[in-house]
Amino acid sequence: GAGVSQSPSNKVTEKGKDVELRCDPISGHTALYWYRQSLGQGLEFLIYFQGNSAPDKSGLPSDRFSAERTGGSVSTLTIQRTQQEDSAVYLCASSLEQGAHQPQHFGDGTRLSIL
Amino acid sequence: AQSVTQLGSHVSVSEGALVLLRCNYSSSVPPYLFWYVQYPNQGLQLLLKYTTGATLVKGINGFEAEFKKSETSFHLTKPSAHMSDAAEYFCAVSGGRGSTLGRLYFGRGTQLTVWP
């Protein structure tokens, strides 16, 4: 389909391992957002990209989290030395362009479980 | 600063009854407001949005919401609930300016249960 695609859909890993989550936005969408959804914290903003640059990284919870976007399309969110509190659903969204009025289209998320 | 409060983490209605999900917002700039729905193991789907203009906004699946500036509210309604409406609903306000432009601030969500 033409929606936002995230992979993997589920990831189980051991504490201390690194994980990489992938997001393919809708073709032509220049803005890309990462959010985290957990029972305790609800939906939290992590980072967004306009093109390949990330003007707002303020939501990243620690320096173990990083993200990049290449070619203005695919983005990867990397979590190093995972901790149990990183267990959550990581959602990616894209919009046609950056703007407060632009609706964001979400993928189905990656459910991350840290053992 | 932007924030959203959704009153009632759980709402239960009978099939055919009115659905009312409450949302109040706080925004330092004129707000753009959104309602999203999330079905189990899926992402968020946009129901409707308010940007400017008409304060009564119609969305998909028979839902509508009214922007009331004086009450800082954006409540979601549907005249007659259907079993397929059972899901979690999120109200969100968009970041208004600068580096937060476009960033969404979400409420904690309201789980809607529809009884037959």
Side-chain angles (χ1 to χ4, degrees):
Chain A
V4 176
S5 177
Q6 291 188 247
S7 61
S9 54
N10 286 281
K11 177 72 175 178
V12 181
T13 192
E14 294 179 346
K15 176 182 172 181
K17 300 286 189 183
D18 296 352
V19 295
E20 199 170 270
L21 312 180
R22 177 186 167 106
C23 173
D24 272 288
I26 293 172
S27 178
H29 280 196
T30 62
L32 185 148
Y33 303 81
W34 284 98
Y35 295 87
R36 179 168 71 173
Q37 185 175 24
S38 59
L39 282 175
Q41 302 298 323
L43 276 155
E44 303 172 277
F45 167 83
L46 296 178
I47 187 172
Y48 92 84
F49 291 89
Q50 178 58 39
N52 289 339
S53 64
D56 188 359
K57 303 179 182 179
S58 63
L60 294 178
S62 77
D63 59 8
R64 296 185 295 105
F65 287 71
S66 63
E68 65 175 13
R69 188 179 186 195
T70 54
S73 182
V74 172
S75 176
T76 55
L77 176 69
T78 301
I79 309 173
Q80 295 178 309
R81 305 180 303 281
T82 52
Q83 303 294 313
Q84 288 188 332
E85 61 263 28
D86 300 334
S87 295
V89 176
Y90 290 81
L91 292 166
C92 176
S94 70
S95 64
L96 193 58
E97 59 187 16
Q98 181 196 8
H101 63 293
Q102 290 286 349
Q104 295 178 22
H105 302 266
F106 284 79
D108 286 343
T110 293
R111 184 174 299 276
L112 178 63
S113 300
I114 309 299
L115 303 178
Chain B
Q2 274 83 312
S3 68
V4 170
T5 302
Q6 290 184 241
L7 297 175
S9 58
H10 291 83
V11 170
S12 295
V13 300
S14 298
E15 192 172 20
L18 171 72
V19 175
L20 171 60
L21 305 182
R22 299 178 186 274
C23 172
N24 288 88
Y25 70 90
S26 172
S27 178
S28 56
V29 297
Y32 295 122
L33 296 158
F34 304 82
W35 274 100
Y36 284 87
V37 60
Q38 186 177 36
Y39 297 100
N41 298 315
Q42 294 186 22
L44 280 70
Q45 180 182 2
L46 180 68
L47 275 178
L48 50 79
K49 64 176 182 176
Y50 168 78
T51 53
T52 58
T55 56
L56 182 62
V57 180
K58 295 187 183 299
I60 62 171
N61 302 338
F63 284 94
E64 61 183 35
E66 186 170 11
F67 170 64
K68 291 187 177 180
K69 184 178 179 180
S70 62
E71 299 177 7
T72 62
S73 69
F74 190 56
H75 302 330
L76 182 70
T77 60
K78 182 174 180 177
S80 176
H82 192 271
M83 297 292 289
S84 61
D85 295 328
E88 189 153 24
Y89 292 79
F90 293 92
C91 181
V93 63
S94 185
R97 58 172 62 132
S99 64
T100 66
L101 185 67
R103 167 182 178 175
L104 288 175
Y105 297 81
F106 286 93
R108 296 301 295 263
T110 298
Q111 181 68 46
L112 176 67
T113 300
V114 182
W115 300 101

